[in-house]
Amino acid sequence: MHIPFDNSYVRLPDHFYARLDPTPVAAPKLVRVNTALAEQLGIDPDELTSPDGVAVLAGNRVPPGAEPMALAYAGHQFGHFVPRLGDGRAVLLGEVVGRDGIRRDIQLKGSGPTPFSRRGDGRAALGPVLREYLVSEAMAALGIPTTRTLAAVTTGQTVWRETMLPGAVLTRVAASHIRVGTFQYFAARDDADGVRQLADYAIARHYPNAAAAEQPYRAFLDAVIARQADLIARWLLIGFIHGVMNTDNCSVSGETIDYGPCAFMDAYDPTTVFSSIDHQGRYAYGNQPRVALWNLARLAECLLPLLEDNEKAVQDALGAFAPRFQAEYFGGLRRKIGLLTDREGDDNLTQDLLKLMAEDGADFTLTFRRLCDAAEAPVGNAAVRTLFKDTAAFDAWTGRWYARLTLEVAPAAAMRAVNPAFIPRNHLVEAALAAAVERADFQPFEDLLGVLSRPYHENTALERYTMPPRDEERVLHTFCGT
Ligand code: AMP
Ligand code: MG
């Protein structure tokens, strides 16, 4: 089993992590290897699916060149600071530089207890592992920065959650696992050297341009803020709800990370919450920009000692979040309805549509996808119209929209490139997980994964995957991945 490791985080001081091997499992069995991703990383997918490879993916065998460790980090969980979280159920095997020249972490999640496990068992259940596989790969196919899934294996052991569940290990691939909470870990210990070493490492790895700036740490902060603003705008534009935007789940690289009780919205409602542990709606769909900014303020606090004229620097840096987010979000909304040139009143048009959608509970994904057909030819308008209750108000809106569309060239094709037909709808995800967990039937998972790999390519044979849940299929909560 050859993985071309090239490790760098392990060269950081040894209080940044705890070195330990994954804990072997009883009977590893492959669920799936992500062949395309393996190839991109320079790993032979056939080796990964061999018994030797499966032993590696289960944590039963440490491959040559791996230097396994659990990373230290802290974090605000639902607003409460926890000075020591860390990888309680994951080990970083090492890093590889892919064919695209990008360095990525390879991590086993669910690989057994570590010094950071607190009272947890260090393991993951099959359902959450498959959810992370489906949703992270769907996000990647949608073009949204995200950690990826290289593989999933079952362990042949059970884990005890509210009930006995089959255990599994997910192999996660990430630009890095540096979180806002990683900075907080050192800042909370008044470890100024640690903060600086981590910042230097993050700059070198993710923001090399910042190193050349007049004030590298300020440039770093600005760059992280810009990437988060872009990321959250992208989430909102496809109806994604992360569910647990704690500072330890906020990646400094700008990738979506830590898929727990995440979900996509069906009917448009900005107050939508799925996570069963989010009682106050802190991480509701429409609250995500505010929370991201709050998380970034925690990062800025950690960097204060490194910044010149620091109070003002932090204020200016954080002040750039809202305009950046708004430009991305409103620009994205305009593109979703085919407005490719900038005109007076365009934002009113997008906002009025969202207002109608919210009032009538119109399905977010389906509305925008069907508007593509309506943009193609007025006859296509009939299908999207059925999603609205107040058809008079909708007709008034489409009247304005059609008038505006005459100023655009071929808007329908551009719209189809940004409005997915297929998202990991919650009821489909739950059904795929249930089949795997309750009946060891992985076919629905495989089928759904295939559909989600081409989210913008409509296919009439797959129409059921585009549809919102019927009342009895509706999923109200998803549970935390732990
Ligand atoms: P998460 O909710 O996955 O973002 O995890 C929050 C913290 O809890 C992290 O420090 C995790 O490593 C830790 N954690 C989550 N699940 C477990 C588990 N089953 N065993 C040990 N630690 C866990
Ligand atoms: Mg986490």
Side-chain angles (χ1 to χ4, degrees):
M1 180 70 235
H2 176 69
I3 300 177
F5 285 110
D6 177 5
N7 305 330
S8 64
Y9 205 82
V10 70
R11 313 283 164 247
L12 287 165
D14 53 16
H15 65 294
F16 277 54
Y17 47 77
R19 292 289 307 268
L20 86 161
D21 287 349
T23 308
V25 303
K29 196 161 166 245
L30 184 66
V31 174
R32 193 170 209 287
V33 158
N34 186 338
T35 306
L37 181 59
E39 281 165 354
Q40 198 187 326
L41 296 173
I43 303 170
D44 180 353
D46 293 335
E47 278 190 33
L48 274 184
T49 54
S50 73
D52 223 24
V54 175
V56 167
L57 296 170
N60 286 20
R61 204 176 150 266
V62 175
E67 296 171 271
M69 59 172 133
L71 273 53
Y73 55 86
H76 275 91
Q77 299 187 306
F78 292 89
H80 302 285
F81 186 62
V82 184
R84 185 183 155 95
L85 286 167
D87 288 332
R89 53 159 166 175
V91 290
L92 175 64
L93 288 181
E95 300 147 36
V96 299
V97 178
R99 294 206 174 138
D100 50 9
I102 297 174
R103 173 179 297 278
R104 292 190 182 82
D105 283 1
I106 300 184
Q107 189 208 56
L108 301 182
K109 186 172 174 182
S111 55
T114 78
F116 301 105
S117 294
R118 292 170 293 161
R119 283 192 296 278
D121 60 2
R123 292 299 183 186
L126 178 59
V129 162
L130 297 182
R131 178 184 287 111
E132 175 153 356
Y133 200 143
L134 286 167
V135 182
S136 65
E137 288 306 301
M139 292 285 269
L142 287 162
I144 295 170
T146 178
T147 64
R148 304 283 308 266
T149 301
L150 179 61
V153 296
T154 50
T155 59
Q157 295 172 201
T158 52
V159 292
W160 185 254
R161 294 296 178 256
E162 264 134 36
T163 158
M164 295 263 273
L165 294 167
V169 178
L170 179 115
T171 306
R172 175 158 71 180
V173 173
S176 84
H177 284 85
I178 305 171
R179 307 146 187 274
V180 168
T182 318
F183 282 90
Q184 291 180 293
Y185 181 84
F186 301 104
R189 285 163 181 73
D190 290 321
D191 180 356
D193 285 341
V195 172
R196 183 187 297 273
Q197 285 161 319
L198 183 64
D200 289 341
Y201 178 89
I203 288 170
R205 186 158 173 182
H206 298 303
Y207 302 98
N209 291 341
E214 207 168 301
Q215 296 180 40
Y217 300 115
R218 170 65 198 275
F220 167 64
L221 179 60
D222 288 341
V224 176
I225 288 170
R227 275 200 207 167
Q228 280 293 323
D230 293 354
L231 180 68
I232 307 303
R234 306 286 302 275
W235 287 0
L236 262 53
L237 289 167
I238 44 138
F240 177 73
I241 304 167
H242 182 285
V244 203
M245 285 177 71
N246 293 331
T247 56
D248 57 297
N249 296 338
C250 177
S251 167
V252 162
S253 77
E255 286 183 340
T256 311
I257 194 168
D258 271 10
Y259 292 89
C262 57
F264 280 69
M265 187 165 61
D266 293 305
Y268 178 65
D269 173 1
T271 66
T272 306
V273 176
F274 280 106
S275 167
S276 60
I277 53 175
D278 187 1
H279 302 296
Q280 257 122 45
R282 179 181 172 92
Y283 299 143
Y285 169 83
N287 228 15
Q288 295 181 118
R290 224 164 302 151
V291 174
L293 179 58
W294 191 89
N295 289 347
L296 291 163
R298 306 288 79 76
L299 174 66
E301 283 167 3
C302 298
L303 297 175
L304 263 178
L306 298 177
L307 300 172
E308 283 171 40
D309 194 4
N310 53 20
E311 302 276 338
K312 183 175 182 307
V314 162
Q315 259 174 25
D316 290 351
L318 293 171
F321 178 88
R324 174 90 182 209
F325 167 78
Q326 277 159 12
E328 285 300 309
Y329 174 65
F330 287 110
L333 278 178
R334 293 194 297 268
R335 283 191 297 280
K336 280 176 86 71
I337 62 166
L339 311 185
L340 309 175
T341 59
D342 259 331
R343 312 270 166 162
E344 187 79 31
D346 283 357
D347 290 333
N348 290 337
L349 207 50
T350 60
Q351 291 312 297
D352 289 348
L353 174 63
L354 288 179
K355 212 183 301 159
L356 290 181
M357 289 166 65
E359 279 164 11
D360 290 359
D363 184 80
F364 183 79
T365 305
L366 214 47
T367 297
F368 286 107
R369 188 68 190 187
R370 289 188 178 173
L371 279 176
C372 306
D373 301 330
E376 187 94 63
V379 58
N381 190 31
V384 61
R385 194 171 183 269
T386 64
L387 302 173
F388 290 82
K389 297 189 188 97
D390 186 349
T391 46
F394 178 72
D395 291 343
W397 183 85
T398 44
R400 290 161 60 204
W401 180 55
Y402 277 127
R404 172 63 183 83
L405 271 192
T406 58
L407 306 174
E408 301 291 341
V409 180
M415 287 173 70
R416 288 198 182 94
V418 294
N419 292 311
F422 305 112
I423 51 156
R425 289 197 184 263
N426 218 9
H427 66 293
L428 300 174
V429 171
E430 290 298 327
L433 269 46
V437 171
E438 290 159 20
R439 304 190 295 278
D441 174 8
F442 289 85
Q443 199 56 48
F445 164 76
E446 291 287 341
D447 293 345
L448 184 55
L449 197 61
V451 168
L452 295 172
S453 69
R454 304 186 75 208
Y456 299 104
H457 293 79
E458 203 133 8
N459 177 343
T460 46
L462 301 176
E463 203 194 337
R464 79 175 186 90
Y465 289 95
T466 68
M467 299 304 282
R470 294 188 300 271
D471 277 344
E472 71 277 14
E473 290 175 322
R474 192 158 286 138
V475 180
L476 299 177
H477 292 299
T478 62
F479 291 89
C480 196
T482 49

